[in-house]
Amino acid sequence: MHELSIVLGIVDIAASTVQKANAHKVDRIELEIGELAGIETDALLFAWDTAIKNTVLARAKRDIHYVPGKARCLDCGELFDMHQLYDPCPKCNNYLNEIIQGRELKVKALTVS
Amino acid sequence: MCSTCGCNQPADAVTITRIGGGIHSHAPFSALQYHLLVEEHNHNGHSHQPVTIELEQDILQKNNLLAQRNRGYFEAKRILALNLVSSPGSGKTALLERTINDLKQVMPIAVIEGDQQTTHDADRIAQTGAPVVQINTGKGCHLDSDMVLKAVRQLDPPNDSLLMIENVGNLVCPALFDLGEGGRVVIISVTEGDDKPIKYPDMFFSANLCIINKIDLLPYVPFDVEKAKSYALQVNPQLRFFEVSALHGQGMDKWYDWLKTQFAHFRDYQHIH
Ligand SMILES: Nc1nc2c(ncn2[C@@H]2O[C@H](COP(=O)(O)OP(=O)(O)OP(=O)(O)O)[C@@H](O)[C@H]2O)c(=O)[nH]1
Ligand SMILES: [Mg+2]
Ligand SMILES: [Zn+2]
Ligand SMILES: [Zn+2]
Ligand SMILES: [Zn+2]
Ligand SMILES: [Zn+2]
């Protein structure tokens, strides 16, 4: 699963941030993961422990903010909660929707020391 | 959870091989190595106050930046790059073999093959006479923009050509990784079940075109083509479809027309439809 490459990407970002800050390690990492980002949280957590061994993240506290999916119907303008990419507009059953949020995949903040 | 899927492999695990050219290189696979090499400065007894850095950084940023670099290169050389994605065995290589044989007089076609192991697919492509580079990802389950950058350097496709990038057979992982392609083609075969598009929505969401392959087998398998299309359209209302048999050639003409049209359009406008 690509979740492992995602975690390795996070470790990369953490390592270069620690280096730039002239610090040693990450104490806390805040992630933002959208409901529609294409990431399986269980798989991510599973990959996490293996991937962070011997890295600056080894002892970091991890906070994950989940961002719920929201979309706007391009037909009737309804704003609705989207849990799957194939959810239609609940009002007019249209599938042509603009995703407003839920695709996020970010390192929001790092506490380093 | 796919336990075979590991990116934390030794540095030389990704290999890129030019078929026929005798060039073979190991792509430095930065990830884990780099993490372990972060230097600890000498902190003779001193300690650091915790500092919080609001980063707001996209985790895929590194891949996306290199993908944009590839895209710029493709645009400058008017190379239409297509990223072909599917489950293992849907017929990506078969589709390429027939397409190259039928179109090689019409447009120059070069190929990048992505598989975990072996050069089997690149060897098949080499039989058609098309220039081809094989990327072996080792345990990696998708191509990324860095691998494609290195493969393109070896391949050096000519200006005004079509570049086909066959991704690792996997309907999940490649969806998130932009390679810098001009368009993404998802292939499903009729032996896979018509509900694939909503089981694996991310791939259909990000595709420009969907090819339904192995239609010669329709009499033998329960696969409702219209149902598959309507599922795919739920995920991506703009998706277009061609139904083909890469093995026997049915339906290929419409795909060729699409390719020729997009090829010409890309040359003039650097985008496809
Ligand atoms: N009946 C039939 N078989 C096909 C068709 N296209 C491909 N095949 C067969 O399906 C098998 C897999 O085809 P490939 O072209 O290797 O599939 P692929 O998507 O490249 O596979 P990977 O690279 O392993 O992911 C081969 O045995 C092909 O001969 C088709 O249109 N009809
Ligand atoms: Mg293949
Ligand atoms: Zn994977
Ligand atoms: Zn609506
Ligand atoms: Zn120090
Ligand atoms: Zn146009």
Side-chain angles (χ1 to χ4, degrees), chain A residues 1-2 4-6 8-13 15-17 19 21-24 27 36-39 43 46 50-51 54-56 85-86 95-96 99 103 105-113, chain B residues 1-2 5-8 31-32 34-36 38-41 43 46 48-60 62 141-142 172-173 176-177 198 201-202 205 233-235 237-238:
Chain A
M1 289 296 143
H2 53 297
L4 186 51
S5 348
I6 295 298
L8 289 171
I10 296 170
V11 176
D12 243 354
I13 291 169
S16 68
T17 307
Q19 205 171 27
N22 202 27
H24 299 270
D27 298 330
L36 305 170
I39 288 293
F46 185 89
T50 342
N54 303 318
T55 75
V56 293
L85 290 170
Y86 48 83
Y95 286 101
L96 204 52
I99 297 174
R103 302 277 291 166
L105 196 53
K106 272 199 244 170
V107 177
K108 238 182 115 53
L110 287 166
T111 304
V112 301
S113 67
Chain B
M1 182 77 211
C2 88
C5 166
C7 305
N8 54 347
L32 195 74
Y34 172 61
H35 312 150
L36 296 172
V38 173
E39 263 176 48
E40 294 245 351
H41 63 254
H43 51 114
H46 74 260
H48 295 258
Q49 284 305 310
V51 200
T52 297
I53 302 161
E54 305 290 336
L55 210 57
E56 297 288 343
Q57 184 172 338
D58 193 327
I59 294 165
L60 290 168
K62 193 170 152 198
C141 49
H142 56 266
V172 182
C173 310
L176 257 62
F177 296 85
I198 52 167
D202 291 283
F205 182 79
L233 286 171
Q234 290 178 16
V235 180
Q238 267 117 8

Side-chain angles (χ1 to χ4, degrees), chain B residues 46 68 82 89 222 234 258:
Chain B
H46 74 260
Q68 280 307 93
L82 296 178
Q234 290 178 16
W258 183 88

